[in-house]
Amino acid sequence: PCRCWVCGNSPCGSGASQEAKKKARCPGLGLFYTLLSAFLFSVGSLFVKKVQDVHAVEISAFRCVFQMLVVIPCLIYRKSGFIGPKGQRIFLLLRGVLGSTAMILLYYAFQATSLADATVITFSSPVFTSIFAWIFLKEKYSPWDALFTAFTITGVILIVRPPFLFGASAAGTDESYSVHLKGTFAAVAHAVFAAVTMVIIRKMGKSVDYFLSIWYYVVLGLLESVIVLFIIGEWSLPYCGLDRLFLILIGLFGLGGQVFLTKALQIEKAGPVAIMKTMDVVFAFIFQIIFFNDMPTWWTVGGALCVVASSTGAAIRKWCQSSK
């Protein structure tokens, strides 16, 4: 008797066959979504670096407001509601708080250090994603993953260039080293929070509409940003009309990046998505050279090569495993 190769039941259902064929046509759709998300986030990062005299937390607040104006009509149209399934609300809350914290840290890193340095460090996130996925999602963590982790840590050290290892001359940058170090720590913290967020989104899977996930992200992000701005007293409207345009574009490109990243995580494992997203490193180097006329240092190039080599090796390994 004919048995369905998808579920093993007999007889074959036409719906299952059609679904299987549909999946076979686009095996890399999740990775393509991730690549598109990386490009959109990179353009948004460029605008963050271009904005003058606006605090990173305030940029986050503006981005949340603009994204909220887009997400609300989408939720109404899709009839998804604004609260979410009862069993998933705790994950939605965690996704919103951790994701928005990662956003604020990322914007601060872009303002405190170079675009390439900040981007390379933040994309050490796959290391933390693999570890958290191993802990919480029970995904396998092999000695190869440990090797790729070591490569990534080496890359971060080359970018940070701690004086006790490289000496004071190697640590020097165009900005003061203390500011560079603050940006570096912010970038590493972003990588940790972003990794946890990726694992949470993967945990929720398709049971939560991706616009609902973004809704929690922007609402809690706005609330968090307003509280922080009130505490530090840094609220100020941008004086330049170009800065206002940049703030709008940051919101729009950030929303596009969030939509495609969330969709990718719903149809692809957290590890490969985090690895493909390191393509943002390539975009950051290109944008820094073209728009800021700032050639990255050889330390940054070496660190980036370590991170990219780690990500590429992990991607190839996962690809071979999935094809077996």
Side-chain angles (χ1 to χ4, degrees), residues 156-281:
V156 172
I157 291 174
L158 289 176
I159 295 170
V160 177
R161 302 182 296 278
F164 67 89
L165 289 178
F166 293 84
S169 60
T173 59
D174 293 335
E175 304 106 342
S176 65
Y177 183 70
S178 61
V179 176
H180 171 73
L181 199 60
K182 290 178 182 178
T184 298
F185 284 138
V188 172
H190 162 82
V192 173
F193 281 103
V196 178
T197 302
M198 286 187 178
V199 173
I200 291 173
I201 294 174
R202 179 62 184 169
K203 174 71 174 178
M204 292 187 296
K206 295 183 179 181
S207 62
V208 175
D209 187 279
Y210 56 91
F211 274 109
L212 182 62
S213 176
I214 297 172
W215 167 252
Y216 270 81
Y217 170 77
V218 296
V219 169
L220 294 176
L222 179 60
L223 180 62
E224 180 179 351
S225 298
V226 169
I227 293 174
V228 174
L229 285 171
F230 178 78
I231 293 173
I232 64 178
E234 288 285 346
W235 180 267
S236 63
L237 291 175
Y239 297 104
C240 177
L242 191 59
D243 282 349
R244 297 172 187 176
L245 175 61
F246 286 157
L247 289 173
I248 295 174
L249 292 176
I250 289 169
L252 293 177
F253 279 96
L255 175 63
Q258 282 293 326
V259 169
F260 285 109
L261 177 60
T262 305
K263 285 291 291 181
L265 286 165
Q266 288 181 338
I267 61 178
E268 183 58 83
K269 288 186 178 180
V273 168
I275 291 166
M276 176 60 74
K277 201 174 184 301
T278 57
M279 278 300 297
D280 207 346
V281 173

